Amino acid sequence: MSSSRDTTGLILAGGAGMRVGSADKGLLPWRDEPLATHVARRLRPQVTRLSISCNRNRDFYTTLADTTVTDSRRNFQGPLAGLEAAIPQVKGAYLIIVPCDNPLLPLDLVERLLDPLLSAAGPAADISYAHDGERDQYLCAALRASVLPSLPSFLDEGHRAVRLWYARHRCTVVDFSSQADCFANFNHLP
């Protein structure tokens, strides 16, 4: 990424893996390497620093990122719990989140997601997320760090849905329909 924006990238790899027989999705092989290795390789050049939210296999994930974090909430409470755990690691004004099972992430993902947050006319949004032409990709998103303090109370209220937390902020969708294949994920057993 040629931008001088100070961004923290966060790969979400802390799930229970229910769709893959409780396996750690980030470690599932794809093209002879773990999924998370591919994701880290695509995201790292686009961000200033890289962190991974993981609740198991931390030794492996440490080899891919500058830092790793573990949920402080019990029982795999979803991606927002991983995001919450990463809050102390966020340096700079922007956080980019991606899931560990999208090995073909666009090479311009961060630039395009940040664009609406950096509008010359003033920020148009606090959160932007990708749309692949068919579905919202809530876990491929850019967030202003300033929205993060609202997350713990949202989780304390018992909420878990990413889209509902986003709805409490100014959001915009970024059209990636011309790169829909980049959002292919591997979250089911073959």
Side-chain angles (χ1 to χ4, degrees):
M1 181 173 153
S2 60
S3 171
S4 62
R5 302 291 173 209
D6 192 7
T7 55
T8 299
L10 176 65
I11 298 172
L12 297 167
M18 298 303 289
R19 294 182 191 135
V20 290
S22 299
D24 185 338
K25 281 193 293 189
L27 296 184
L28 293 177
W30 186 76
R31 295 185 180 172
D32 300 323
E33 292 183 293
L35 282 169
T37 300
H38 294 278
V39 174
R41 189 176 298 128
R42 302 282 284 202
L43 185 60
R44 183 178 280 285
Q46 301 184 60
V47 297
T48 308
R49 72 198 57 75
L50 183 62
S51 187
I52 298 180
S53 170
C54 57
N55 291 317
R56 356 176 219 180
N57 302 304
R58 193 171 189 164
D59 288 343
F60 167 75
Y61 288 115
T62 299
T63 68
L64 301 178
D66 301 312
T67 59
T68 59
V69 297
T70 302
D71 294 1
S72 58
R73 296 176 188 263
R74 296 182 191 178
N75 302 322
F76 299 103
Q77 293 193 31
L80 290 178
L83 179 54
E84 177 190 39
I87 291 173
Q89 301 300 323
V90 176
K91 310 294 185 221
Y94 305 99
L95 174 66
I96 309 300
I97 61 170
V98 298
C100 68
D101 59 357
N102 283 130
L104 299 172
L105 289 172
L107 297 175
D108 62 349
L109 179 75
V110 173
E111 180 180 355
R112 292 188 57 203
L113 288 175
L114 282 177
D115 190 51
L117 278 60
L118 303 171
S119 169
D126 295 315
I127 299 172
S128 65
Y129 55 89
H131 188 277
D132 67 10
E134 289 187 29
R135 302 177 206 60
D136 291 325
Q137 297 289 335
Y138 294 115
L139 297 183
C140 290
L143 302 87
R144 287 183 184 285
S146 60
V147 303
L148 296 174
S150 72
L151 182 54
S153 61
F154 179 81
L155 290 168
D156 288 345
E157 292 167 9
H159 304 296
R160 300 290 173 262
V162 175
R163 66 182 171 76
L164 295 180
W165 181 61
Y166 284 2
R168 294 185 175 196
H169 304 283
R170 295 180 309 155
C171 292
T172 192
V173 177
V174 179
D175 180 11
F176 281 90
S177 57
S178 65
Q179 298 178 61
D181 292 347
C182 292
F183 297 93
N185 63 32
F186 298 85
N187 61 12
H188 292 86
L189 287 172

